[in-house]
């Protein structure tokens, strides 16, 4: 009974150190959810060993940062760490790693901001109590994690992933990157405003304030898919044009060969009709010389020149 009383006292006592200690196991859960989000969003296939290494390593460093660095510097340090390790562990390009880190952070921030006002309103608490009393923080995090797992399940079930960033040219990548940066800045500003004024804003205002932001992300994603389709269509047209040019070259070569072959057959037929075997023999020797010269020209094949061992 005394142990239960101690646990309950720990959970309801306002203490910053208690919050940091309580968040240690939740850090591993949060890092795993963030990883699962961007892996499913971008349809990235990695083995379990890399996943475990990422979760454990990032979680340990994040916990150390939370105890040694003040807010919000520890948060920024954790984001930079995630970005670097995504590149190193999952072998992504910096562009895709940035989008992966940003996407998971944005989803977490959106979920947290959307449920913050309803949660403190229903619980009849303040943001300070939410930040300093473990029991309120645990319930709040559990709600966030539950919604996040639901999103991951939907992404897997409906196969709603994005896997086209390698096919986009540099110009479009720059536009996408700028678009995401402005989106993140808007999200940060919206989050700060909501956090500091959540106690005074009505719940309906909080909800309505995020509708334009959600619409922005939906329109951005739709625009990205249109850019992808346009990019793929352009590449297909270029391939079709190249294939068409190759067919023209082959057709010209076949037509030239047909013309030469017709001349050879006609000439041979002329010698046979006139019973000119001496002329036919002389013409045949000329053909042999021409064939030998063609065989010598074959040595100019780039594959043979670049790979002399095939000679």
């Amino acid at each position: 009974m005394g142990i239960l009383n101690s646990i309950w006292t720990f959970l309801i006592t306002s203490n910053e150190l208690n919050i940091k200690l309580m968040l240690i196991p939740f850090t591993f859960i949060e890092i795993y959810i963030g990883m699962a989000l961007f892996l499913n969003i971008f349809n990235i296939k990695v083995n379990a060993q890399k996943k475990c290494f990422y979760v454990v390593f990032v979680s340990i460093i994040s916990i150390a940062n939370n105890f040694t660095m003040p807010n919000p510097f520890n948060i920024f340090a954790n984001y930079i760490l995630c970005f670097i390790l995504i590149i190193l562990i999952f072998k992504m390009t910096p562009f895709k790693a940035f989008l992966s880190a940003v996407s998971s952070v944005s989803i977490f921030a959106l979920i947290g901001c959307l449920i913050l006002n309803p949660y403190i309103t229903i619980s009849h608490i303040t943001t300070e109590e939410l930040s300093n009393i473990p029991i309120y923080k645990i319930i709040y995090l559990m709600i966030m994690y539950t919604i996040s797992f639901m999103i991951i399940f939907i992404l897997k079930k409906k196969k709603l992933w994005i896997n086209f960033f390698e096919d986009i040219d540099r110009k479009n990548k720059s536009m996408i990157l700028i678009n995401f940066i402005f989106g993140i800045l808007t999200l940060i500003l919206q989050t700060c405003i909501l956090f500091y004024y959540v106690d005074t804003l009505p719940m309906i205002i909080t909800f309505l304030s995020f509708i334009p932001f959600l619409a922005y992300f939906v329109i951005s994603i739709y625009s990205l898919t249109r850019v992808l389709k346009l990019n793929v269509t352009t590449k297909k047209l270029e391939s079709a044009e190249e294939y068409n040019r190759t067919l023209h070259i082959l057709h010209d070569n076949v037509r030239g060969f047909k013309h030469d072959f017709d001349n050879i057959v006609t000439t041979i037929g002329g010698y046979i009709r006139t019973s000119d075997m001496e002329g036919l023999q002389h013409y045949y020797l000329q053909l042999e010389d021409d064939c030998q010269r063609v065989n010598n020209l074959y040595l100019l094949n780039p594959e043979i020149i670049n790979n002399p061992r095939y000679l």
Side-chain angles (χ1 to χ4, degrees), residues 42-177:
F42 297 104
N43 190 29
I44 301 169
K45 305 297 183 183
V46 293
N47 56 43
Q49 184 179 2
K50 289 185 177 180
K51 292 180 181 179
C52 291
F53 182 79
Y54 176 83
V55 171
V56 173
F57 194 81
V58 175
S59 299
I60 292 174
I61 301 298
S62 298
I63 292 169
N65 290 338
N66 292 337
F67 278 93
T68 57
M69 300 176 65
N71 286 323
F73 299 104
N74 59 339
I75 298 176
F76 292 126
N78 293 338
Y79 290 162
I80 295 173
L81 172 68
C82 290
F83 170 72
I84 295 174
L85 288 181
I86 287 173
I87 296 176
L88 297 178
I89 297 176
F90 300 121
K91 307 301 180 183
M92 295 188 192
T93 61
F95 175 75
K96 193 170 183 178
F98 174 80
L99 294 182
S100 298
V102 166
S103 61
S104 58
V105 170
S106 299
I107 292 174
F108 264 117
L110 280 173
I111 296 172
C113 291
L114 285 174
I115 68 174
L116 179 59
N117 196 315
Y119 178 73
I120 65 174
T121 301
I122 295 172
S123 303
H124 303 289
I125 60 175
T126 63
T127 54
E128 184 178 355
E129 290 175 321
L130 173 62
S131 300
N132 296 321
I133 298 179
I135 186 64
Y136 296 135
K137 189 73 172 181
I138 290 175
I139 298 174
Y140 177 72
L141 290 176
M142 294 304 295
I143 296 173
M144 282 186 60
Y145 295 162
T146 301
I147 297 174
S148 299
F149 276 117
M150 291 173 61
I151 293 174
I152 294 171
F153 176 78
I154 293 173
L155 289 172
K156 287 184 177 180
K157 192 71 174 178
K158 301 296 183 180
K159 298 182 180 179
L160 302 174
W161 53 59
I162 303 173
N163 56 359
F164 55 80
F165 290 109
E166 292 81 0
D167 300 325
I168 299 178
D169 55 30
R170 181 173 296 180
K171 180 180 179 181
N172 286 322
K173 281 185 178 180
S174 301
M175 293 176 61
I176 293 171
L177 189 60

